[in-house]
Amino acid sequence: MDKKVHQLLNEQINKEFYSAYLYLDFSNYFKAQGLDGFANWYMIQAQEERDHAILFYTYLQNENMPVTLDAIGKPDKVFSCHMDVLKAGLEHEKYVTSLINDIYGAAYDVRDFRTMQFLDWFVKEQGEEETNANDLISKMDLFGSDPKSLYMLNQELSTRVYSAPSLVL
Ligand code: FEO
């Protein structure tokens, strides 16, 4: 495997674990605010990010490439309102999309078609993640200021259940 592609794939393990940690922090914020549905939604988001990390980890192992695990950064955002959290989620997903695109670009440059095929799933996944984050912002925009509607939205988000990723390596 090309050195740069390997390095970026290995770094992505850490980025995905950081994403899991970040969303766990979001979940923690909402739990403290008494919004268990939102807390549930971000807890499941954290589980999905952990899955993403393991997919990168497993892909490198399957390719007989070394894996190096690095320290995970501290989630240090301070939020002044619920909407801040949701917007930080969307910004983070846009950032992750740019990271996936960078790896894809590096793989493309060296005609690493296998890595490109592996990343195809993530390209699609990032589209869904950004849509989900945007939807949440729209709903909060519409209903967040009315306590009764916020309660209903919280109920809706409490129904999200975890499912394993559709990509199996
Ligand atoms: Fe692993 Fe939310 O992207």
Side-chain angles (χ1 to χ4, degrees):
M1 186 184 286
D2 172 74
K3 206 169 154 225
K4 186 177 175 195
V5 173
H6 175 223
Q7 186 198 326
L8 292 176
L9 286 168
N10 192 80
E11 283 172 8
Q12 196 61 28
I13 299 171
N14 187 273
K15 306 278 188 190
E16 299 288 346
F17 274 124
Y18 174 76
S19 300
Y21 218 35
L22 184 70
Y23 288 132
L24 199 60
D25 197 38
F26 288 10
S27 183
N28 184 41
Y29 165 88
F30 282 115
K31 187 81 183 169
Q33 299 286 323
L35 290 166
D36 282 17
F38 282 84
N40 171 66
W41 201 91
Y42 280 112
M43 174 61 82
I44 287 163
Q45 195 63 28
Q47 288 170 319
E48 285 195 358
E49 299 301 350
R50 174 210 56 202
D51 290 340
H52 296 169
I54 298 298
L55 284 167
F56 281 97
Y57 169 91
T58 306
Y59 178 70
L60 283 178
Q61 287 187 337
N62 288 354
E63 293 293 311
N64 285 312
M65 296 304 291
V67 166
T68 311
L69 297 178
D70 211 340
I72 300 167
K74 177 181 161 70
D76 54 4
K77 287 196 165 51
V78 179
F79 304 111
S80 56
C81 66
H82 306 330
M83 187 60 114
D84 270 4
V85 185
L86 273 45
K87 286 188 172 166
L90 176 61
E91 282 317 300
H92 185 69
E93 285 308 328
K94 285 182 179 170
Y95 167 63
V96 174
T97 297
S98 78
L99 295 175
I100 299 292
N101 289 347
D102 287 348
I103 311 173
Y104 208 106
Y108 178 85
D109 286 345
V110 295
R111 294 170 60 85
D112 181 349
F113 299 117
R114 198 154 55 225
T115 296
M116 287 161 67
Q117 193 179 45
F118 163 69
L119 290 172
D120 279 340
W121 185 87
F122 285 93
V123 171
K124 188 162 175 280
E125 176 74 7
Q126 281 312 121
E128 289 170 12
E129 301 264 82
E130 286 187 34
T131 300
N132 289 342
N134 259 315
D135 285 354
L136 219 47
I137 290 170
S138 302
K139 285 179 180 172
M140 184 61 100
D141 225 5
L142 286 167
F143 310 120
S145 56
D146 171 48
K148 211 185 283 179
S149 304
L150 182 64
Y151 177 80
M152 303 278 278
L153 181 55
N154 185 60
Q155 288 296 103
E156 181 190 319
L157 298 180
S158 71
T159 61
R160 185 180 185 188
V161 290
Y162 168 76
S163 62
S166 55
L167 177 64
V168 179
L169 297 178

